[in-house]
Amino acid sequence: LEFGAPWCGYCLDVQATLMELMQHFPDVRHIKIYDGKGQPLGRSFRVKLWPTLVFMRDGKVRHKAVRPSENEVVEGLRAITDGC
């Protein structure tokens, strides 16, 4: 899950890296969620800064990254794919 907003500079900055890395993990589903103040879904994942990436597998959070670096994105993707 990617929480953010289309006008967020940090969110825009991570897009190219995220899309490039996602190509190496074709079985991972990427869902973008337009978050905002008081949105219940974002609050349930304790999102405070954008972008926040929540890596889930089998309904459980395996990794969470806030304003992630490339390495953090890779770490999250590996956490939900058994390192493939």
Side-chain angles (χ1 to χ4, degrees), residues 2 14-24 30 32:
E2 176 187 354
V14 78
Q15 290 308 301
T17 300
L18 183 57
M19 292 303 109
E20 181 181 329
L21 292 172
M22 290 293 297
Q23 290 178 13
H24 300 286
H30 175 233
K32 290 177 86 165

Side-chain angles (χ1 to χ4, degrees), residues 23-77:
Q23 290 178 13
H24 300 286
F25 298 86
D27 293 333
V28 173
R29 186 169 176 204
H30 175 233
I31 300 171
K32 290 177 86 165
I33 299 169
Y34 185 176
D35 194 34
K37 185 175 182 179
Q39 294 296 318
L41 187 58
R43 301 300 72 84
S44 69
F45 284 99
R46 298 188 174 152
V47 173
K48 295 186 183 199
L49 293 172
W50 299 326
T52 294
L53 302 180
V54 179
F55 298 88
M56 299 181 70
R57 182 170 176 180
D58 300 326
K60 296 181 181 179
V61 174
R62 299 290 178 101
H63 186 75
K64 184 176 172 183
V66 179
R67 293 189 178 165
S69 67
E70 182 175 338
N71 289 339
E72 290 173 306
V73 174
V74 170
E75 184 179 332
L77 290 166

